[in-house]
Amino acid sequence: MNADESQASIVPRILRQARARRNASDIPGFTAVFGDRTTPGITQAEVAQLAGVSRRWYNALESGRSANYSEGLLQAVRRILDLTADEWHVVYRVTHGRAPAEAPVSPLADLLPAAIRNLVEQSPTWGLYMSDLRWDMLAYNSKTLEYFPWMMYGLNVMEWALTWPEARTQLIDWEDEWALPMIAQLRVHAEQYRHDERLQEVIDTIRGDAVARRLWDSPNLPSMTHPASHRPRRLYLPRQGGTEFAMHLLAFAPLELPSCRLMAIMPAEI
């Protein structure tokens, strides 16, 4: 920040510059929702819609007005605008008065055998990632980031898929093909690990979202504990415009860590 630049002006400058340089094609599902974009930059209204808030509320943030901006909104803006680490820390400190908290680290992270981590991170062909029983990330490879750039921020898989507005943009037929099966899996874990405090935090976060809470109580939840490998799911990918892609999701459980889940993401024909 320049010596003569006030805190009230630095957040608007950072957000406007990030919005002006943002390549819309890097945002999964952007073209399908808003149409083709031939020049860099996205609008305030587009950021607001992707973040799940009103344009007026996002405008208040970008204008530097003090308000009770939620953690979820700031995290969404961070990803939508692809803020650098320095930009993110400044925006968060100015709006919240403190440094941003680190993403939760799974207690199983240190127990993940090096050979398994290498298998996941060095696999060159399919997307691979591993999460613990709470769906907190343990490892992922570069191919997975081509599909889901949000993983670099350490987000919980269930929280992202079930509560973040951009997930509902990227994941096609979100409610029936993604949300309901995932909630069914989560509810099984809620019974199996009912005394796990971190899992309960994840559930509370999901149930705090009005749409996800309605689905949690749905009488039409499927009877399943893992993704059906024979049934591909459709989604939009970064830098692929409005093209729909179908992916098989294959779930495996390592014998050394049976409570964890190794996921393989394999392209399929639509």
Side-chain angles (χ1 to χ4, degrees), residues 6-28:
S6 69
Q7 288 191 341
S9 64
I10 190 171
V11 169
R13 176 178 63 78
I14 288 174
L15 297 183
R16 288 167 186 163
Q17 288 178 349
R19 195 163 52 75
R21 70 173 183 248
R22 186 61 164 140
N23 189 336
S25 68
D26 289 336
I27 303 174

Side-chain angles (χ1 to χ4, degrees), residues 23 39 59 71 78 104 149 163 189-190 246-247 259:
N23 189 336
T39 58
N59 176 265
E71 181 81 14
R78 176 193 185 187
T163 69
H189 273 224
M247 300 286 180
S259 65

Side-chain angles (χ1 to χ4, degrees), residues 42-57:
I42 60 177
T43 68
Q44 284 192 356
E46 290 162 349
V47 176
Q49 184 170 333
L50 290 170
V53 298
S54 68
R55 178 178 179 179
R56 189 177 195 178
W57 191 235

Side-chain angles (χ1 to χ4, degrees), residues 84-100:
T84 67
D86 287 342
E87 289 172 337
W88 165 240
H89 278 261
V90 170
V91 169
Y92 196 96
R93 280 183 177 277
V94 172
T95 55
H96 274 201
R98 55 182 171 83

Side-chain angles (χ1 to χ4, degrees), residues 142-170:
S142 59
K143 194 69 175 179
T144 302
L145 288 183
E146 293 180 15
Y147 304 147
F148 301 119
W150 56 268
M151 284 193 179
M152 74 176 68
Y153 300 108
L155 298 180
N156 178 277
V157 175
M158 285 289 182
E159 290 182 6
W160 178 82
L162 296 176
T163 69
W164 292 106
E166 69 250 42
R168 299 169 194 176
T169 299
Q170 180 179 11

